[in-house]
Amino acid sequence: MHKIALGYIKTKLILYSAVNKKKAGEQMFRLFCTPPTRSKVAEHEIFKTAEKLHFIFEGKNLYGYRCNPSPKKVLLLHGFSSTCQHFARFVQPLTEKGYEVLAFDAPAHGASEGKVVNAVDYSNLIIRINELYGPVDGYIAHSFGGISVTLALEKMKTDAHLKVVLIAPATETSSAIDGAFKMLKLNNNILRTSMDEVIMDKSGRPTEWYSIRRAIKNFPGQVLWIHDEDDDVTPLADALKVKADNLPNVEFIITKNLGHRRIYKDAQIVQRVVNFF
């Protein structure tokens, strides 16, 4: 069924690109911003005793948790088609160190409402969480959460005391789009160019601007970047370009055989992240 749906979408996009270039780009952008699945997992035990949080964000109900209220706060940020439930393993060790842990499902994810979300939406959500429940002292961000938090931090006042952990982050939006085209087996330059034009029209910035490599140079805090050699979702090659920049505030850990999702579940990685704080 999934292959049939992808085949239908691909055919539709190709037809649009031949008839209406702008419409095709808009359709592809919407598809890119639509999680292919909504992760439906049971509420983790550690969140059952946490304070339930809820607020309206851009007309949608957003849901999350606050664990161990404290002046020192860490915000957990999940990736695309994921949920904050997957990051429950970080809660207890952080609370034992005296941190308050905040965790939310992004729009169109988990318990939160919505059908589409992009990095700008997610970054604005991070800013709003800071306004409502912050200020946040540290972030642990996976994949899509990584590009989103770096964009948010550019807009916020930050200092050298802020700490950010990026786990297999989506380093370059251009690479993420290329990956979407590859998944759909779309080799259509007209459609690819049209999507870039849509991003420019909607945001006033080119696709290449949505880049951790660009944004992180404006961040004065400490960064722990963890990436796996065998990541088939967010290319290590993009991360290595940042590593080659030799930024003094960015520490890299390159792992092997953990891939894109096992990496944040690995006990040694969890401990290394907690030690960073």
Side-chain angles (χ1 to χ4, degrees):
M1 181 63 73
H2 183 61
K3 289 184 178 179
I4 294 173
L6 288 178
Y8 171 75
I9 291 168
K10 178 181 176 180
T11 301
K12 185 177 178 181
L13 287 168
I14 292 172
L15 288 173
Y16 268 134
S17 67
V19 177
N20 188 326
K21 177 183 173 184
K22 183 178 180 181
K23 182 76 171 177
E26 290 172 347
Q27 289 289 323
M28 186 63 198
F29 180 71
R30 182 173 179 83
L31 178 63
F32 180 69
C33 298
T34 303
T37 59
R38 183 183 285 260
S39 186
K40 295 180 179 179
V41 297
E43 185 177 46
H44 194 279
E45 286 298 320
I46 204 158
F47 287 133
K48 289 181 179 180
T49 57
E51 179 186 357
K52 307 297 190 291
L53 301 177
H54 160 256
F55 63 96
I56 306 296
F57 176 73
E58 297 182 352
K60 303 176 185 66
N61 287 293
L62 271 290
Y63 297 94
Y65 304 91
R66 174 161 45 200
C67 308
N68 188 45
S70 168
K72 300 189 301 179
K73 307 174 192 295
V74 172
L75 175 61
L76 305 178
L77 298 166
H78 65 75
F80 209 61
S81 292
S82 186
T83 168
C84 66
Q85 301 296 333
H86 290 157
F87 294 82
R89 69 195 72 241
F90 291 96
V91 174
Q92 184 173 336
L94 285 169
T95 58
E96 287 175 351
K97 294 189 74 169
Y99 282 96
E100 172 183 311
V101 178
L102 295 163
F104 289 85
D105 284 332
H109 289 78
S112 294
E113 292 182 343
K115 294 182 178 180
V116 297
V117 65
N118 58 55
V120 174
D121 297 332
Y122 204 174
S123 68
N124 289 335
L125 171 63
I126 293 165
I127 293 170
R128 185 58 178 150
I129 291 170
N130 267 272
E131 293 170 350
L132 292 172
Y133 308 108
V136 173
D137 304 285
Y139 299 85
I140 300 172
H142 177 244
S143 194
F144 176 54
I147 180 69
S148 301
V149 73
T150 54
L151 294 176
L153 292 172
E154 275 198 299
K155 301 177 185 177
M156 300 163 59
K157 291 182 178 179
T158 60
D159 58 36
H161 296 99
L162 189 64
K163 293 186 176 183
V164 178
V165 178
L166 301 175
I167 305 175
T171 310
E172 303 292 342
T173 298
S174 294
S175 295
I177 294 173
D178 290 342
F181 272 72
K182 184 178 180 180
M183 182 193 72
L184 289 169
K185 297 181 179 178
L186 273 171
N187 185 16
N188 189 311
N189 291 332
I190 294 174
L191 184 58
R192 183 67 174 83
T193 301
S194 181
M195 186 171 170
D196 285 335
E197 290 172 354
V198 168
I199 291 172
M200 186 70 185
D201 289 343
K202 287 180 176 293
S203 69
R205 300 186 186 278
T207 303
E208 294 75 19
W209 187 88
Y210 297 96
S211 157
I212 294 181
R213 186 183 184 191
R214 179 201 61 76
I216 204 169
K217 293 174 183 176
N218 302 316
F219 176 61
Q222 296 300 304
V223 178
L224 176 63
W225 188 312
I226 307 171
H227 223 113
D228 193 77
E229 291 182 6
D230 304 305
D231 194 317
D232 61 352
V233 178
T234 58
L236 176 64
D238 288 342
L240 292 179
K241 292 175 184 177
V242 183
K243 188 174 186 294
D245 290 335
N246 289 316
L247 300 175
N249 59 326
V250 183
E251 175 188 355
F252 274 85
I253 296 176
I254 307 298
T255 61
K256 189 170 179 59
N257 298 324
L258 292 178
H260 186 67
R261 294 177 182 84
R262 282 178 55 213
I263 192 168
Y264 66 78
K265 301 173 184 178
D266 183 82
Q268 290 185 339
I269 295 300
V270 172
Q271 189 59 57
R272 182 64 185 84
V273 169
V274 172
N275 289 345
F276 180 66
F277 292 99

